[in-house]
Amino acid sequence: MHDTDITVPLLAITDLHLSIAGREVLRGIDLTIDAGETHVLLGPNGSGKTTLFNTLVGLPGYEVTQGSVAFKGENLLALTIDERARLGVGVAFQRPPAVRGVRLRQVMEVAAGGALEAGTLDAIAGELAVAPMLERDVNLGFSGGEAKRSEMAQLLAQQPELALFDEPESGVDLDNIAVVGGAIAHLLKGDRASERPRAGLIITHTGHILQYVNADVGHVLFDGRLACEGNPLDLIDDIVSHGYEGCVECAACRQ
Amino acid sequence: MPTVDEILLTDEQRARLAEIEEAAQAAADKPAALGPDVDVARFRTVSERDRVASLASIERQIRETALMSGFVSDESERSASYFQLDRTPIYERVSEAFGGQVEVMSTADALARYPDEMLAKWWWRAVDPAKDKYTALVALHQTEGYFIRVKAGAKVEKPIQACLFVSESDVSQNVHNIIVLEEGAEANVITGCNIATDVHQGLHAGISEFYVGAGASLTFTMVHNWAEEFSVRPRTGVIIEDDATYINNYVLLKPVKSIQAFPVARCEGARSRAVFNSIVYGLADSHIDLGSETQLIGEGSRSEAVARVVSTDRSAVYSRGRLIARTDECTAHLDCRGIVQSAESTQWAIPDLASEGAPGAELSHEAAISPIAEEEVYYLMSRGVPHDEAVSMITRGFLDLEIPGLPLALRRQIDAAIAATAEHAM
């Protein structure tokens, strides 16, 4: 038995139009993510990827002019940032802000919804090598790799049903990409059969992270619209060969 | 015990006392360089009180007030206690376990008992009696104060506590405190200055001279609880010898009419270190002018000063930090941050660095007055923390400087004040 209605998709974005200061940035996005699916959102700089991410997070400054976003059947757009998080949306920021006086351990605890069992904390700290950072002010003076590992540690503590990742590989060296990618795979696919797989939406400009995470579906966001959908690795091959413009022009997607 | 007037002093010692008195008399009307002027003539000096046999026999209301500045009645948590009510040291005791390691008495008693050492080494040696009218007031009309000495090599793990309490209105309490840590000693001194809940007007002038011997480590924590019509003028000088460390923690969470203090630490010894941490909550019409000066004199000396200020209502807060390098090999840093919560409140952050002929000295500062950044609030919210709690967490973090040895009740009081501050931030 499932405790959720399987006929309702986990995330359903329908005809989403969105403006920033009067300028339309997203022009009709339709995207459905079911429980357990990993989606990848590709797209050139300025195509609206981060705008979509921030809108799903709930950050202010974005005006939805049309369309809807439903998460587990609820109107996500009507919820505050923290309500979304408690409902099961987790986020890993590209450049998380430093918060003086608030330690990584505290943020992991609040993300977990209270106390974090010592065993769980140790396991996460070990997997992401964040043990020396637990008592540091979160993101204060963290290197690029440390910041990404810290974001992943917080998500592993939170265990959201849907995790959103904004450019998880940007500004990170290869060793750290492997650690971060491994943690994403662990979060989304689960270690044990008993763990319910979680859904993910990974925003990536380069696609490097896909060496570590198996994604089910790829989308290309171009000029405010989802222009292509397909196997993520195929899409990346096309983009590498033909650039984003060429990829969007291809026959398969134009049909 | 005889007073210093009754014991036989050498001619040299008498001359020294006369010199101090003369200097003080010349400065009796000299206004302080900083802070609003206080008319010291309008206050009479505090009165005599009866001594008590135990801390438990101190009036409950006084004990409870003292607790809020870290003074506990349960002496098992403390190595030594000194309690001064108005002008009388009503209680002083060293716990048995620390007998022979710690000495606690009034400075008047110490002067009578150890005139040679006191006059030669400590009595007005770190603070100039002619600095201003407040030092002069204490030099001329002293109303006791504590003397604490920790013997060479003694590691006193439990805090030593001292409380200076004012229970009457329209008085000035003019205390002269001396702390001596002999070579290699370690101690944590918690002092609270308080007034009874029904006292409103008054003046506290406190001279503190601290001597941290070679290899010694003194942590000095002061928690102030004053009232809206009370003026406070501490004057502190600290001398730090080779490989010694002085850590000063200061907490002010209650309204005050005005407080102005600018302790001066002299890192005279090689590799000596001075640290100043302060948490200030500016409330009501308080005029708060606080800071510290560290003089880096010994080779390899270091200093850090961290100040966190939240101001609200109509309060004005000056947060100063001065670092003066007089040796080539020294490093020091100031970190001074403020949040202004009210349109009627004013905050100044004033870092002040000087290298006096020390080309190799490294002095730096960060000073900032800014609100809580929205993106930080959103970040915590994205982990499921509601908006108001996120603001509270950040404000708590802002004010939460780690101060060891505080009693739980005081810790809770600081937390409560910080929580109130955080609520204000919303």
Side-chain angles (χ1 to χ4, degrees), chain A residues 57 59-60 80-83 85-86 89-93 96-103 106-107 110-112 138-139 150-151 154-155 158, chain B residues 308 335 337 366 372-390 392-402:
Chain A
V57 172
L59 297 180
T80 58
I81 302 171
D82 54 305
E83 288 168 339
R86 292 197 299 275
V89 178
V91 294
F93 290 95
V99 188
R100 261 172 209 280
V102 178
R103 296 164 187 171
Q106 281 175 278
V107 186
V110 295
V138 68
N139 302 322
S150 149
E151 290 294 287
Q154 294 170 49
L155 277 185
Q158 186 186 353
Chain B
R308 295 287 180 264
D335 175 354
R337 285 167 204 279
E366 294 173 84
I372 290 174
E374 282 190 332
E375 61 164 0
E376 297 176 25
V377 176
Y378 298 147
Y379 184 65
L380 295 182
M381 288 174 76
S382 78
R383 306 306 184 217
V385 184
H387 179 274
D388 291 358
E389 278 179 40
S392 171
M393 251 177 107
I394 295 168
T395 311
R396 271 166 199 266
F398 178 82
L399 287 174
D400 191 18
L401 301 178
E402 290 212 357

Side-chain angles (χ1 to χ4, degrees), chain A residues 151-186:
Chain A
E151 290 294 287
M152 283 315 302
Q154 294 170 49
L155 277 185
L156 287 178
Q158 186 186 353
Q159 292 286 317
E161 285 176 72
L162 171 69
L164 311 173
F165 305 89
D166 191 8
E167 305 273 4
E169 73 275 73
S170 75
V172 178
D173 59 39
L174 282 176
D175 289 347
N176 276 308
I177 290 183
V179 173
V180 169
I184 294 175
H186 170 195

Side-chain angles (χ1 to χ4, degrees), chain A residues 108-144:
Chain A
M108 287 172 69
E109 282 168 357
V110 295
L116 202 53
E117 277 176 37
T120 311
L121 182 70
D122 290 347
I124 298 173
E127 175 173 351
L128 287 155
V130 295
M133 293 147 61
L134 290 174
E135 304 305 332
R136 283 172 63 189
D137 290 353
V138 68
N139 302 322
L140 186 65
F142 284 12
S143 68

Side-chain angles (χ1 to χ4, degrees), chain B residues 226-413:
Chain B
W226 304 108
E228 291 182 38
E229 291 305 317
F230 217 84
S231 301
V232 185
R233 295 293 182 275
R235 298 290 179 258
T236 300
V238 186
I239 293 175
I240 309 156
E241 295 182 17
D242 289 358
D243 300 297
T245 298
Y246 174 71
I247 298 172
N248 185 99
N249 298 313
Y250 179 80
V251 180
L252 175 67
L253 301 170
K254 290 280 185 65
V256 59
K257 181 181 174 71
S258 74
I259 181 167
Q260 186 273 314
F262 195 66
V264 177
R266 293 170 55 90
C267 286
E268 292 188 349
R271 297 166 303 279
S272 56
R273 179 168 172 239
V275 178
F276 287 89
N277 297 312
S278 64
I279 301 173
V280 172
Y281 188 18
L283 282 162
D285 294 285
S286 303
H287 183 107
I288 298 167
D289 189 329
L290 294 168
S292 62
E293 171 178 318
T294 301
Q295 300 173 9
L296 300 134
I297 301 161
E299 200 176 289
S301 54
R302 290 175 294 152
S303 178
E304 299 122 57
V306 180
R308 295 287 180 264
V309 178
V310 175
S311 66
T312 188
D313 302 334
R314 294 153 310 278
S315 63
V317 183
Y318 293 75
S319 184
R320 304 174 190 273
R322 179 181 292 163
L323 303 174
I324 301 176
R326 300 206 174 114
T327 181
D328 240 3
E329 252 190 72
C330 65
T331 54
H333 183 69
L334 293 173
D335 175 354
C336 174
R337 285 167 204 279
I339 298 175
V340 178
Q341 290 184 336
S342 151
E344 292 169 289
S345 171
T346 304
Q347 251 187 63
W348 293 72
I350 309 167
D352 181 359
L353 314 181
S355 169
E356 295 183 354
E362 288 184 35
L363 307 178
S364 57
H365 76 83
E366 294 173 84
I369 299 175
S370 58
I372 290 174
E374 282 190 332
E375 61 164 0
E376 297 176 25
V377 176
Y378 298 147
Y379 184 65
L380 295 182
M381 288 174 76
S382 78
R383 306 306 184 217
V385 184
H387 179 274
D388 291 358
E389 278 179 40
V391 171
S392 171
M393 251 177 107
I394 295 168
T395 311
R396 271 166 199 266
F398 178 82
L399 287 174
D400 191 18
L401 301 178
E402 290 212 357
I403 299 177
L406 293 185
L408 198 59
L410 174 59
R411 184 72 248 174
R412 282 205 202 101
Q413 140 122 354

Side-chain angles (χ1 to χ4, degrees), chain B residues 70-71 77-82 93-94 98 101-104 146-150 156-162 179-181 186-191 218-221:
Chain B
F71 192 95
E77 291 179 34
R78 295 292 186 251
S79 57
S81 302
Y82 175 91
R93 180 168 174 268
V94 175
F98 298 93
Q101 298 181 45
V102 183
E103 267 184 298
V104 173
Y146 55 77
F147 171 80
I148 295 169
R149 169 155 55 177
V150 183
V156 182
E157 64 270 25
K158 285 188 181 169
I160 298 166
Q161 63 180 0
I179 299 178
V180 177
L181 259 70
E186 285 177 19
N188 179 359
V189 177
I190 296 178
T191 67
L218 171 62
T219 299
F220 179 80
T221 298

Side-chain angles (χ1 to χ4, degrees), chain B residues 41-204:
Chain B
R42 59 188 281 245
F43 302 111
R44 60 191 169 78
T45 54
V46 281
S47 313
E48 299 274 357
R49 299 289 161 201
D50 293 333
R51 288 182 60 83
V52 294
S54 74
L55 288 176
S57 51
I58 295 174
E59 209 180 304
R60 189 165 61 103
Q61 207 180 16
I62 292 177
R63 271 188 284 132
E64 283 175 1
T65 306
L67 180 62
M68 289 314 158
S69 57
F71 192 95
V72 296
S73 300
D74 176 5
E75 288 177 82
S76 67
E77 291 179 34
R78 295 292 186 251
S79 57
S81 302
Y82 175 91
F83 200 111
Q84 178 170 334
L85 183 58
D86 300 323
R87 81 161 299 162
T88 309
I90 60 167
Y91 185 81
E92 69 267 288
R93 180 168 174 268
V94 175
S95 301
E96 269 173 36
F98 298 93
Q101 298 181 45
V102 183
E103 267 184 298
V104 173
M105 64 190 78
S106 74
T107 33
D109 284 352
L111 196 58
R113 189 178 294 183
Y114 309 114
D116 298 346
E117 273 182 298
M118 284 289 278
L119 288 168
K121 297 198 283 195
W122 308 316
W123 191 248
W124 294 105
R125 294 294 180 185
V127 174
D128 177 4
K131 186 182 176 72
D132 56 36
K133 63 202 281 189
Y134 310 103
T135 56
L137 179 69
V138 178
L140 299 171
H141 306 286
Q142 188 190 332
T143 56
E144 318 303 335
Y146 55 77
F147 171 80
I148 295 169
R149 169 155 55 177
V150 183
K151 295 293 178 61
K155 314 271 190 238
V156 182
E157 64 270 25
K158 285 188 181 169
I160 298 166
Q161 63 180 0
C163 180
L164 301 164
F165 202 99
V166 178
S167 76
E168 44 186 351
S169 280
D170 304 304
V171 294
S172 68
Q173 189 183 44
N174 314 323
V175 294
H176 188 172
N177 308 312
I178 291 176
I179 299 178
V180 177
L181 259 70
E182 295 182 351
E183 203 172 312
E186 285 177 19
N188 179 359
V189 177
I190 296 178
T191 67
C193 298
N194 294 275
I195 58 172
T197 44
D198 55 346
V199 170
H200 301 291
Q201 297 203 26
L203 169 69
H204 172 92

